[in-house]
């Protein structure tokens, strides 16, 4: 059994910054790709950013140059630094990780954290 716990969401004005954190727990053998997704009301969940175990990253076009994903493998953690936030970034943000624990593969999801950007 594995668990992803997120933190760092909240309310911020347009142009502001937030940093999301997500940590995995359990008897973990390895973690491959980690990522952040978001889902706005009435919309499908979409990939925001992802980072491989080797540190390769990819971003949605809408966040390139504003968001930065990073990870700390020693802490089984992934982070999302969000700058120059826009109203359209408002969504529930979910952490995702491909985890092998006790030799069982999990495509794990966090519970979600709300990010609200106001004008």
């Amino acid at each position: 059994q594995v668990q992803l716990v997120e933190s760092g969401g909240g309310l911020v004005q347009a142009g502001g910054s937030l940093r999301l954190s997500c940590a995995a727990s359990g008897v973990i053998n390895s973690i491959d790709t980690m990522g952040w997704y978001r889902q706005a009301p009435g919309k499908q969940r979409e990939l925001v950013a992802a980072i491989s175990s080797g540190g390769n990253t990819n971003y949605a076009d809408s966040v390139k140059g504003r968001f930065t994903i990073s990870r700390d493998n020693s802490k089984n953690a992934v982070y999302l630094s969000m700058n120059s936030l826009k109203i359209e970034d408002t969504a529930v943000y979910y952490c995702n990780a491909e985890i092998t624990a006790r030799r069982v593969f999990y495509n794990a999801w966090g519970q979600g954290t709300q990010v609200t950007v106001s004008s």
Side-chain angles (χ1 to χ4, degrees):
Q1 190 79 4
V2 299
Q3 188 176 14
L4 295 177
V5 178
E6 302 147 344
S7 61
L11 174 64
V12 64
Q13 285 191 324
S17 299
L18 281 175
R19 186 174 188 250
L20 305 182
S21 300
C22 172
S25 62
V27 182
I28 295 172
N29 300 120
S30 64
I31 302 179
D32 295 321
T33 299
M34 304 184 82
W36 289 95
Y37 289 72
R38 67 186 180 187
Q39 187 167 19
K43 294 188 177 181
Q44 289 190 329
R45 190 174 297 189
E46 64 175 357
L47 175 67
V48 176
I51 183 167
S52 71
S53 57
N56 294 318
T57 59
N58 68 285
Y59 296 90
D61 287 343
S62 60
V63 307
K64 283 180 180 177
R66 299 188 298 121
F67 291 10
T68 302
I69 190 170
S70 60
R71 65 190 283 172
D72 184 337
N73 292 329
S74 69
K75 297 181 179 179
N76 293 328
V78 63
Y79 309 97
L80 186 68
S81 295
M82 305 184 291
N83 298 317
S84 302
L85 282 160
K86 303 177 180 180
I87 292 175
E88 51 264 41
D89 294 318
T90 296
V92 178
Y93 285 70
Y94 297 91
C95 174
N96 173 262
E98 299 173 342
I99 298 173
T100 301
R102 298 183 185 270
R103 300 188 179 183
V104 177
F105 175 81
Y106 297 88
N107 185 27
W109 291 90
Q111 78 283 0
T113 185
Q114 177 70 47
V115 172
T116 303
V117 184
S118 65
S119 60

